[in-house]
Amino acid sequence: MAPGDTVFALGGRFPSAMRVATRVRGRLGVQPKLGDAFRAPELSAFAALLGARRTSDPT
């Protein structure tokens, strides 16, 4: 897995996405939205999107 890989090229499927969402929420405290993988399919962009959401969320 590399930062430029896309979720879909890595075999992204709904059950896998649910596991990733659960892990992200548990480790980062931010809940990925359903469309995030489409808005930012590259792993580096997906991480940046979640990081920005995490830092902008006051909770």
Side-chain angles (χ1 to χ4, degrees):
M1 219 176 338
D5 290 341
T6 68
V7 172
F8 306 107
L10 293 171
R13 304 283 183 271
F14 187 75
S16 299
M18 295 304 295
R19 285 192 296 275
V20 168
T22 299
R23 288 181 184 169
V24 167
R25 184 179 63 235
R27 291 185 183 178
L28 300 179
V30 65
Q31 178 66 45
K33 296 179 182 175
L34 184 58
D36 287 346
F38 293 100
R39 280 189 281 285
E42 289 186 358
L43 298 180
S44 58
F46 186 72
L49 177 72
L50 296 178
R53 189 174 299 144
R54 182 177 181 212
T55 59
S56 69
D57 186 5
T59 58

